Amino acid sequence: MDLAMIGLGRMGGNMARRLLRGGFGVVGYDRSPEAVRALAAEGLAAAPSLEALRDLLPAPRTVWVMLPAGSATEAVLEELAGVLEPGDLVIDGGNAYYKDSQRRAAWLGERGLLFADVGVSGGVWGLENGYGLMFGGPPGVAARLEPVLRALAPSPGLGWVHAGPVGAGHFAKMVHNGIEYGMMQALAEGLNLLRKKREFGFDLARLTEAWRHGTVIRSWLLDLTAQYLAGDQDLSDIAPVVADSGEGRWTVLEAVELGVPIPVITQSLYTRFESQDEEDYDERLLAVMRKMFGGHGVKKARD
Ligand SMILES: NC(=O)c1ccc[n+]([C@@H]2O[C@H](COP(=O)([O-])OP(=O)(O)OC[C@H]3O[C@@H](n4cnc5c(N)ncnc54)[C@H](O)[C@@H]3O)[C@@H](O)[C@H]2O)c1
Ligand SMILES: O=C(O)[C@H](O)[C@@H](O)[C@H](O)[C@H](O)COP(=O)(O)O
C-alpha cells in the first residue's frame, strides 16, 4: 500500500520511517528540504509540491498530515482540498482541536474528500516502540486505514482504537494529554518534596530507578524521569519554564463546558502558566497587599 506523509518533522519523519520499514510505499512532502532529504535516502519518494504528491499516488489516495496544529494544518488542508480528487482520504494526525477536525471533515466532505482524525502518542520514541493511535471517523474509513494503523502501532493488534466518529480521535488525544499533565505534575511535586527533605539527602536518581520496579507508580513517565536524573539531578541548566501547546487548555475548556470537575489537570495547567509568567505581577501584588494591611516586610527585587 502507498500513502503520503505531509510534515516530516520529529513525528511525521519517524512515522514515515516506520511505515517504510513495514513495507509501505511512502511519498513525503515538507516545506523544509532537509527534512525530506534525510528520508529520501531511506526510500521515501520525495514530492516537491502537493500536486506532485497527488500524481505520485494511485487513486483513491491516502494522505496523512502531521503538521503543527492551527494555521499550518489549516493552510495545507485548504491546499489539499484543491489538489486531491473525490474519494481521496485525508488524515490529520497532529494535536488538533477536535472541533477544528469536525469542521474540516464537513468542508472536505462537501468536496468529496474523506477525513479522519487520529490522535497519535509516543513522541520521538514511537519509531522503535510504535505509536498509540486514537482513530476518529466512520467505520468504512477505519477499515481502509487499518493496515496503516496496525503498522504504526506497537504491535498490529495493540495500541490503536477506533475511538468513535470524526472528532473522537482528537478528543481522546486531548484528554490523554490532560492526564499526561496531571501525571507529570504529581511526579514533579513528589520529587521536589523529597529533594527539599535535605536531612535525608535523597539520591533521586537511585530512588526513581528503584521505583521503576515493582511499585504502584512505575510508568513510562517515571522511566524517562529516572533516565534523565541519572545524568543530571540538579537541573541547574534547565530554565523553570514549562511550555504547553494547547491540549491542556482545550481539556480544561471542555470540562468547564460539560461541568465536569478536573481539578488535578486544571491545576497542572495553571502551574505551567505560572512558570511561563516572567513578570509575576500577581505575586508582587500579593506581597504589597500583605505589607499594606499588616505592615509585613517586602523583599526587594534586587535582594
Ligand atoms: N513531538 C511529539 O512528541 C508529538 C507527539 C504526538 C503528536 N504531536 C503532534 O504532531 C504534529 C507534528 O509534531 P512534530 O513534533 O513532528 O513537529 P515538528 O516541528 O518536529 O515537525 C513539523 C514539520 O512540519 C513541517 N511544516 C510546518 N509547516 C509546514 C507547511 N505549511 N507545509 C509543509 N511542511 C510544514 C516542518 O518543516 C517540520 O518538518 C503536531 O501537531 C504535534 O502537536 C507531536
Ligand atoms: O502523547 C504524546 O506523545 C505527547 O503528549 C505529545 O503529544 C507531545 O509531547 C505533546 O504535544 C506535548 O504537549 P504540551 O506541549 O502541551 O506539553
Side-chain angles (χ1 to χ4, degrees):
M1 179 181 175
D2 286 358
L3 76 158
M5 183 67 71
I6 299 180
L8 301 169
R10 286 166 297 185
M11 292 302 290
N14 276 346
M15 290 165 72
R17 267 188 194 96
R18 190 166 168 93
L19 290 168
L20 286 166
R21 292 178 191 177
F24 288 79
V26 184
V27 177
Y29 173 78
D30 195 294
R31 69 177 179 192
S32 147
E34 297 86 69
V36 182
R37 234 189 327 269
L39 276 145
E42 298 174 45
L44 178 114
S49 65
L50 294 183
E51 286 83 1
L53 176 138
R54 174 199 58 209
D55 295 341
L56 282 164
L57 284 175
R61 300 167 185 83
T62 299
V63 178
W64 192 300
V65 177
M66 210 59 207
L67 294 169
S71 55
T73 297
E74 187 82 9
V76 168
L77 291 181
E78 271 175 17
E79 207 183 327
L80 279 174
V83 165
L84 294 178
E85 294 171 338
D88 290 344
L89 166 62
V90 179
I91 314 292
D92 182 7
N95 282 344
Y97 189 30
Y98 82 97
K99 290 184 182 177
D100 286 337
S101 302
Q102 290 175 320
R103 173 178 55 77
R104 290 164 180 162
W107 64 256
L108 289 169
E110 285 162 15
R111 290 154 182 80
L113 299 172
L114 301 168
F115 177 88
D117 50 305
V118 180
V120 179
S121 182
V124 291
W125 301 78
L127 174 60
E128 302 305 332
N129 296 346
Y131 300 89
L133 302 160
M134 296 140 255
F135 175 94
V141 176
R144 181 165 153 187
L145 199 64
E146 188 171 327
V148 179
L149 299 175
R150 290 168 76 87
L152 288 172
S155 71
L158 284 180
W160 63 275
V161 62
H162 184 178
V166 162
H170 280 152
F171 191 94
K173 179 68 193 332
M174 176 191 82
V175 176
H176 165 282
N177 279 37
I179 293 170
E180 180 180 292
Y181 280 35
M183 290 173 67
M184 290 168 70
Q185 185 70 30
L187 277 174
E189 286 181 11
L191 292 171
N192 189 35
L193 181 59
L194 285 159
R195 184 176 164 84
K196 291 285 192 285
K197 191 69 177 171
R198 306 274 184 217
E199 68 183 275
F200 287 141
F202 287 116
D203 180 332
L204 296 185
R206 287 182 50 236
L207 191 62
T208 49
E209 174 55 33
W211 278 357
R212 293 180 56 229
H213 310 280
T215 71
V216 170
I217 62 165
R218 64 189 188 272
S219 62
W220 192 50
L221 278 172
L222 179 63
D223 295 347
L224 296 174
T225 307
Q227 185 182 329
Y228 191 89
L229 291 176
D232 171 22
Q233 274 194 54
D234 290 337
L235 310 185
S236 46
D237 285 341
I238 307 291
V241 179
V242 194
D244 74 291
S245 31
E247 298 274 24
R249 297 180 191 214
W250 301 328
T251 308
V252 171
L253 286 173
E254 192 66 31
V256 171
E257 253 177 52
L258 294 175
V260 175
I262 53 164
V264 170
I265 293 172
T266 304
Q267 187 53 51
S268 60
L269 174 69
Y270 287 0
T271 300
R272 291 192 185 200
F273 290 165
E274 197 65 59
S275 82
Q276 293 162 15
D277 178 12
E278 287 174 6
E279 208 182 4
D280 287 331
Y281 191 72
D282 51 345
E283 273 104 352
R284 293 174 208 267
L285 267 178
L286 287 174
V288 165
M289 285 180 224
R290 213 172 145 265
K291 171 185 161 72
M292 294 305 285
F293 63 66
H296 303 293
V298 169
K299 193 173 175 195
K300 293 289 180 192
R302 60 184 173 279
D303 289 349

